[in-house]
Short mmCIF file of all heavy atoms in Angstrom, two decimals:
data_model
loop_
_atom_site.label_atom_id
_atom_site.label_comp_id
_atom_site.label_asym_id
_atom_site.label_seq_id
_atom_site.Cartn_x
_atom_site.Cartn_y
_atom_site.Cartn_z
N GLY A 167 65.62 31.69 35.07
CA GLY A 167 65.24 32.64 34.06
C GLY A 167 63.92 32.35 33.44
O GLY A 167 63.43 33.05 32.51
N PHE A 168 63.12 31.38 34.00
CA PHE A 168 61.78 31.06 33.50
C PHE A 168 60.81 31.91 34.21
O PHE A 168 60.98 32.52 35.31
CB PHE A 168 61.42 29.67 33.72
CG PHE A 168 62.18 28.58 33.06
CD1 PHE A 168 63.25 27.99 33.60
CD2 PHE A 168 61.80 28.28 31.72
CE1 PHE A 168 64.02 27.12 32.79
CE2 PHE A 168 62.46 27.44 30.94
CZ PHE A 168 63.66 26.70 31.52
N THR A 169 59.58 32.17 33.49
CA THR A 169 58.50 32.95 34.05
C THR A 169 57.43 31.94 34.49
O THR A 169 56.88 31.18 33.78
CB THR A 169 57.86 33.90 32.96
OG1 THR A 169 58.83 34.83 32.56
CG2 THR A 169 56.66 34.65 33.57
N ILE A 170 57.12 31.99 35.90
CA ILE A 170 56.23 31.08 36.46
C ILE A 170 54.89 31.92 36.84
O ILE A 170 55.04 32.86 37.63
CB ILE A 170 56.67 30.36 37.67
CG1 ILE A 170 58.11 29.83 37.21
CG2 ILE A 170 55.78 29.29 38.13
CD1 ILE A 170 58.07 28.69 36.32
N SER A 171 53.76 31.58 36.25
CA SER A 171 52.62 32.22 36.53
C SER A 171 51.99 31.97 37.95
O SER A 171 52.28 30.82 38.51
CB SER A 171 51.48 32.02 35.49
OG SER A 171 50.30 32.73 35.81
N GLY A 172 51.29 32.83 38.54
CA GLY A 172 50.68 32.59 39.86
C GLY A 172 51.71 32.81 40.98
O GLY A 172 52.81 33.20 40.73
N THR A 173 51.13 32.56 42.21
CA THR A 173 51.92 32.76 43.39
C THR A 173 51.72 31.63 44.40
O THR A 173 50.53 31.46 44.93
CB THR A 173 51.72 34.12 44.08
OG1 THR A 173 50.31 34.25 44.33
CG2 THR A 173 52.13 35.28 43.09
N ALA A 174 52.63 30.88 44.82
CA ALA A 174 52.64 29.96 45.92
C ALA A 174 51.60 28.82 45.68
O ALA A 174 51.33 28.07 46.63
CB ALA A 174 52.20 30.67 47.19
N HIS A 175 51.20 28.66 44.47
CA HIS A 175 50.18 27.54 44.20
C HIS A 175 51.04 26.33 43.56
O HIS A 175 51.87 26.55 42.69
CB HIS A 175 49.14 27.92 43.21
CG HIS A 175 47.91 27.08 43.27
ND1 HIS A 175 47.93 25.83 42.65
CD2 HIS A 175 46.64 27.25 43.68
CE1 HIS A 175 46.89 25.21 42.87
NE2 HIS A 175 45.99 26.03 43.51
N PRO A 176 50.76 25.12 43.95
CA PRO A 176 51.39 23.97 43.42
C PRO A 176 51.18 23.74 41.88
O PRO A 176 51.96 23.02 41.31
CB PRO A 176 50.79 22.76 44.17
CG PRO A 176 50.35 23.39 45.50
CD PRO A 176 49.93 24.72 45.08
N ILE A 177 50.14 24.40 41.35
CA ILE A 177 49.98 24.37 39.89
C ILE A 177 50.87 25.46 39.47
O ILE A 177 50.72 26.62 39.72
CB ILE A 177 48.56 24.61 39.44
CG1 ILE A 177 47.71 23.47 39.72
CG2 ILE A 177 48.52 24.92 37.97
CD1 ILE A 177 46.23 23.67 39.53
N CYS A 178 52.02 25.05 38.73
CA CYS A 178 53.03 26.06 38.31
C CYS A 178 53.13 26.07 36.84
O CYS A 178 53.90 25.36 36.18
CB CYS A 178 54.35 25.59 38.93
SG CYS A 178 54.40 25.35 40.73
N PRO A 179 52.45 27.07 36.22
CA PRO A 179 52.49 27.21 34.76
C PRO A 179 53.77 27.91 34.33
O PRO A 179 54.17 29.05 34.74
CB PRO A 179 51.37 28.08 34.42
CG PRO A 179 50.60 28.16 35.74
CD PRO A 179 51.51 27.95 36.78
N VAL A 180 54.63 27.22 33.52
CA VAL A 180 55.94 27.83 32.96
C VAL A 180 55.48 28.35 31.62
O VAL A 180 55.13 27.79 30.72
CB VAL A 180 56.93 26.62 32.69
CG1 VAL A 180 58.18 27.26 32.23
CG2 VAL A 180 57.14 25.80 33.90
N MET A 181 55.44 29.69 31.62
CA MET A 181 54.92 30.46 30.54
C MET A 181 55.86 30.55 29.45
O MET A 181 57.10 31.04 29.56
CB MET A 181 54.54 31.90 31.04
CG MET A 181 53.61 32.01 32.12
SD MET A 181 52.07 30.99 31.88
CE MET A 181 51.28 32.15 30.62
N LEU A 182 55.30 30.18 28.19
CA LEU A 182 56.22 30.13 27.03
C LEU A 182 55.78 31.00 25.84
O LEU A 182 56.43 31.52 25.09
CB LEU A 182 56.52 28.67 26.58
CG LEU A 182 57.16 27.83 27.68
CD1 LEU A 182 57.06 26.30 27.14
CD2 LEU A 182 58.64 28.28 27.85
N GLY A 183 54.38 31.03 25.82
CA GLY A 183 53.78 32.00 24.77
C GLY A 183 53.48 31.36 23.49
O GLY A 183 52.51 31.68 22.76
N ASP A 184 54.35 30.38 23.04
CA ASP A 184 54.17 29.72 21.75
C ASP A 184 53.62 28.34 21.83
O ASP A 184 54.32 27.54 22.60
CB ASP A 184 55.47 29.79 21.05
CG ASP A 184 55.47 29.31 19.65
OD1 ASP A 184 55.01 30.02 18.69
OD2 ASP A 184 55.85 28.08 19.45
N ALA A 185 52.70 27.96 21.19
CA ALA A 185 52.14 26.65 21.31
C ALA A 185 52.96 25.56 20.81
O ALA A 185 53.14 24.52 21.51
CB ALA A 185 50.76 26.51 20.52
N ARG A 186 53.57 25.75 19.69
CA ARG A 186 54.62 24.78 19.14
C ARG A 186 55.79 24.59 20.07
O ARG A 186 56.27 23.41 20.36
CB ARG A 186 55.14 25.21 17.81
CG ARG A 186 56.21 24.18 17.22
CD ARG A 186 56.57 24.57 15.74
NE ARG A 186 57.61 23.88 15.28
CZ ARG A 186 57.67 22.58 14.95
NH1 ARG A 186 56.50 21.80 14.97
NH2 ARG A 186 58.79 21.91 14.42
N LEU A 187 56.22 25.66 20.68
CA LEU A 187 57.40 25.64 21.54
C LEU A 187 57.03 24.77 22.84
O LEU A 187 57.68 23.98 23.33
CB LEU A 187 57.82 27.07 21.96
CG LEU A 187 58.87 27.16 23.11
CD1 LEU A 187 60.16 26.53 22.67
CD2 LEU A 187 59.19 28.57 23.51
N ALA A 188 55.79 25.04 23.37
CA ALA A 188 55.37 24.35 24.51
C ALA A 188 55.31 22.80 24.23
O ALA A 188 55.63 21.93 25.09
CB ALA A 188 53.98 24.90 24.98
N SER A 189 54.76 22.34 23.04
CA SER A 189 54.65 20.99 22.71
C SER A 189 56.11 20.37 22.55
O SER A 189 56.30 19.33 23.02
CB SER A 189 53.86 20.94 21.38
OG SER A 189 53.69 19.62 21.03
N LEU A 190 56.93 21.13 21.94
CA LEU A 190 58.32 20.53 21.68
C LEU A 190 59.12 20.37 22.88
O LEU A 190 59.70 19.38 23.19
CB LEU A 190 59.13 21.45 20.71
CG LEU A 190 58.62 21.46 19.17
CD1 LEU A 190 59.36 22.55 18.46
CD2 LEU A 190 58.79 20.04 18.61
N MET A 191 58.97 21.43 23.82
CA MET A 191 59.66 21.35 25.15
C MET A 191 59.03 20.19 25.91
O MET A 191 59.83 19.40 26.70
CB MET A 191 59.59 22.60 25.83
CG MET A 191 60.57 23.68 25.32
SD MET A 191 60.65 25.09 26.44
CE MET A 191 61.19 24.42 27.95
N ALA A 192 57.78 20.11 25.88
CA ALA A 192 57.18 18.91 26.75
C ALA A 192 57.60 17.51 26.24
O ALA A 192 57.89 16.71 27.03
CB ALA A 192 55.71 18.98 26.72
N ASP A 193 57.83 17.41 24.93
CA ASP A 193 58.23 16.12 24.34
C ASP A 193 59.69 15.93 24.76
O ASP A 193 60.16 14.85 25.09
CB ASP A 193 58.24 16.28 22.81
CG ASP A 193 56.76 16.14 22.27
OD1 ASP A 193 55.88 15.72 23.14
OD2 ASP A 193 56.59 16.56 21.03
N ASP A 194 60.49 16.97 24.75
CA ASP A 194 61.93 16.85 25.11
C ASP A 194 62.03 16.46 26.69
O ASP A 194 62.97 15.74 27.01
CB ASP A 194 62.76 18.06 24.82
CG ASP A 194 62.97 18.18 23.29
OD1 ASP A 194 62.86 17.26 22.61
OD2 ASP A 194 63.30 19.26 22.80
N MET A 195 61.17 17.14 27.40
CA MET A 195 61.17 16.92 28.95
C MET A 195 60.82 15.31 29.09
O MET A 195 61.51 14.69 30.04
CB MET A 195 60.12 17.71 29.56
CG MET A 195 60.47 19.22 29.66
SD MET A 195 61.87 19.66 30.79
CE MET A 195 61.08 19.32 32.30
N LEU A 196 59.96 14.81 28.27
CA LEU A 196 59.62 13.41 28.54
C LEU A 196 60.81 12.49 28.23
O LEU A 196 61.11 11.47 28.90
CB LEU A 196 58.44 12.99 27.65
CG LEU A 196 57.88 11.64 27.85
CD1 LEU A 196 57.43 11.37 29.30
CD2 LEU A 196 56.67 11.38 26.84
N LYS A 197 61.59 12.91 27.23
CA LYS A 197 62.90 12.16 26.85
C LYS A 197 63.80 12.13 28.10
O LYS A 197 64.67 11.22 28.14
CB LYS A 197 63.49 12.70 25.61
CG LYS A 197 62.67 12.56 24.29
CD LYS A 197 63.26 13.22 23.20
CE LYS A 197 62.39 13.12 21.96
NZ LYS A 197 62.84 13.93 20.79
N LEU A 198 63.66 13.18 28.94
CA LEU A 198 64.56 13.22 30.00
C LEU A 198 64.02 12.64 31.25
O LEU A 198 64.56 12.80 32.40
CB LEU A 198 64.99 14.71 30.33
CG LEU A 198 65.75 15.52 29.17
CD1 LEU A 198 65.86 16.88 29.53
CD2 LEU A 198 67.08 14.85 29.08
N GLY A 199 62.85 11.94 31.10
CA GLY A 199 62.22 11.25 32.24
C GLY A 199 61.32 12.15 33.01
O GLY A 199 60.91 11.75 34.21
#
Side-chain angles (χ1 to χ4, degrees):
F168 291 97
T169 299
I170 311 298
S171 179
T173 56
H175 198 289
I177 293 177
C178 303
V180 182
M181 304 304 293
L182 299 170
D184 181 83
R186 176 173 169 77
L187 174 61
S189 178
L190 290 175
M191 281 190 61
D193 289 344
D194 285 345
M195 291 287 289
L196 186 58
K197 294 174 184 176
L198 296 174

